[in-house]
Amino acid sequence: MASQLELYLASQNGYLGTVLPQLVSTTTLAAPAATVTYTVTVPYNRIWCVWRANSSNASTVQSLEARINGAATSSYLWQDFQANNATLTGASSGALTTSMILGTVTGTTSTANFFSSGDFLIDGANQSATYVTAQGKSGNFITATNTNLGVFTSQYDVLGVVTSVTLLLSAGNFVAGSQFSFYGLN
Amino acid sequence: MRDDPHRPVHVFIDGDTVRMVPLTDEEITEQARRDRDHDEQEKAALAARADDLATITASEDPVIQALVRYLRLNA
C-alpha cells in the first residue's frame, strides 16, 4: 500500500507514478456493505477501480451503480451493451438519472462459489471544465449455462472535481469477501 | 440493533483508513423497499417476456405459424 508521501510524489511530474497506475487502496469487505465510498486523497486525473463482488439479493443480476461526490440527484447518464448467453441487448438511461451504471453482479441465486468481477475508469476526475465520464466492463456466471458480459459508459452532468466515488447495488448488499482496489492514473 | 454483527454497513475508504458505519433503521427499511421494487420489476419483465411468447405462438399469421413450427422442431 502506498504511503501518503508516495501518493503525493506519484502525482508529480517526473515520478514513475505519472505513467503507471498507483494503487491507493485495496479493501476486502469483512461484513455486508450497502455502500463503498472511496474518498479521493490525491487528485489524479483518472480513478481506476478493479472489483470482485456479489450481491446478497436473491434475484439473478443487479446493477453495480456509482455516485460522484455523494450526489443522489438526477445528474447521471448511462448506456450499456450486455450479453446474456448469446443475446446481446443495449439499454440507456434515456434521461438524467440518480446514478451511473458501471457493471453487473450476480445474487444469491448464482451457483455456489460463483463471483462477479470487473473494472471501471472514471476519467476527468481532477478537472472541472467538462463533465466527468466513466467506462466499465463486467462479467459473471449465474450458472454454468447462464452467463453475462457487459460494457458500460456513464457521465456525471455536474461540473467539479471528483472528491469521492460511492458504489452501491440496484438491490441487496455487497457480500462479505467482495474486494475493491482503487488506483490513480495521470 | 445497532450492535447486530449481521447489520449491513457503509464502508468509507480514505487512503489506508477504512471506516464502517452500520445502516440506520430507516436505511434498512428503505433498502428493503428498494429490494422489493427490484424483485417486482424483475418478475414483471419475466411476465412480459412470457406474454410476448404467448402472443407469438397464438398468432394466426401463416408465416409466424411456420416459424413457430420450425423452432419447435429444432428446439
Side-chain angles (χ1 to χ4, degrees):
Chain A
M1 193 77 64
S3 68
Q4 290 298 309
L5 176 60
E6 286 171 322
L7 290 172
Y8 170 75
L9 289 171
S11 69
Q12 305 303 301
N13 283 332
Y15 189 77
L16 199 56
T18 56
V19 292
L20 292 176
Q22 186 77 21
L23 178 65
V24 180
S25 171
T26 287
T27 302
T28 305
L29 299 183
T35 62
V36 174
T37 298
Y38 167 70
T39 301
V40 176
T41 49
V42 178
Y44 288 99
N45 294 329
R46 298 173 175 90
I47 298 165
W48 180 36
C49 175
V50 182
W51 57 268
R52 188 168 186 274
N54 261 8
S55 167
S56 63
N57 190 261
S59 56
T60 51
V61 177
Q62 294 82 38
S63 300
L64 172 71
E65 303 179 358
R67 287 176 177 153
I68 304 298
N69 301 342
T73 53
S74 292
S75 309
Y76 307 88
L77 297 172
W78 59 262
Q79 160 76 44
D80 68 44
F81 270 107
Q82 291 190 76
N84 175 226
N85 302 318
T87 306
L88 182 65
T89 309
S92 79
S93 57
L96 290 169
T97 187
T98 55
S99 60
M100 294 180 168
I101 294 183
L102 294 173
T104 60
V105 305
T106 57
T108 55
T109 49
S110 61
T111 302
N113 300 326
F114 281 24
F115 238 58
S116 311
S117 62
D119 69 338
F120 63 82
L121 184 75
I122 292 179
D123 213 326
N126 189 30
Q127 56 83 48
S128 54
T130 56
Y131 295 150
V132 169
T133 51
Q135 299 82 42
K137 64 180 185 296
S138 68
N140 47 62
F141 298 86
I142 301 165
T143 66
T145 55
N146 190 6
T147 66
N148 290 300
L149 179 66
V151 290
F152 306 79
T153 189
S154 286
Q155 180 172 284
Y156 177 49
D157 282 20
V158 175
L159 292 174
V161 300
V162 176
T163 56
S164 72
V165 180
T166 297
L167 305 182
L168 63 156
L169 296 168
S170 57
N173 299 298
F174 295 108
V175 298
S178 297
Q179 190 175 63
F180 304 86
S181 297
F182 289 92
Y183 295 80
L185 297 90
N186 279 321
Chain B
M1 284 296 284
R2 296 298 295 272
D3 294 330
D4 177 2
H6 302 297
R7 176 169 286 241
V9 295
H10 293 294
V11 173
F12 296 94
I13 302 166
D14 190 347
D16 290 343
T17 308
V18 177
R19 201 161 41 88
M20 292 190 287
V21 178
L23 268 64
T24 63
D25 290 343
E26 291 75 20
E27 286 175 320
I28 293 281
T29 306
E30 168 60 19
Q31 192 182 47
R33 186 199 58 75
R34 207 165 63 109
D35 285 6
R36 245 188 342 266
D37 288 352
H38 179 273
D39 293 346
E40 280 168 14
Q41 279 169 14
E42 193 167 77
K43 276 182 203 156
L46 283 171
R49 223 176 299 164
D51 285 349
D52 287 348
L53 200 60
T55 305
I56 291 167
T57 51
S59 169
E60 292 179 1
D61 185 317
V63 176
I64 300 290
Q65 283 178 1
L67 270 172
V68 169
R69 268 199 305 277
Y70 172 81
L71 289 169
R72 279 182 176 149
L73 283 171
N74 290 280

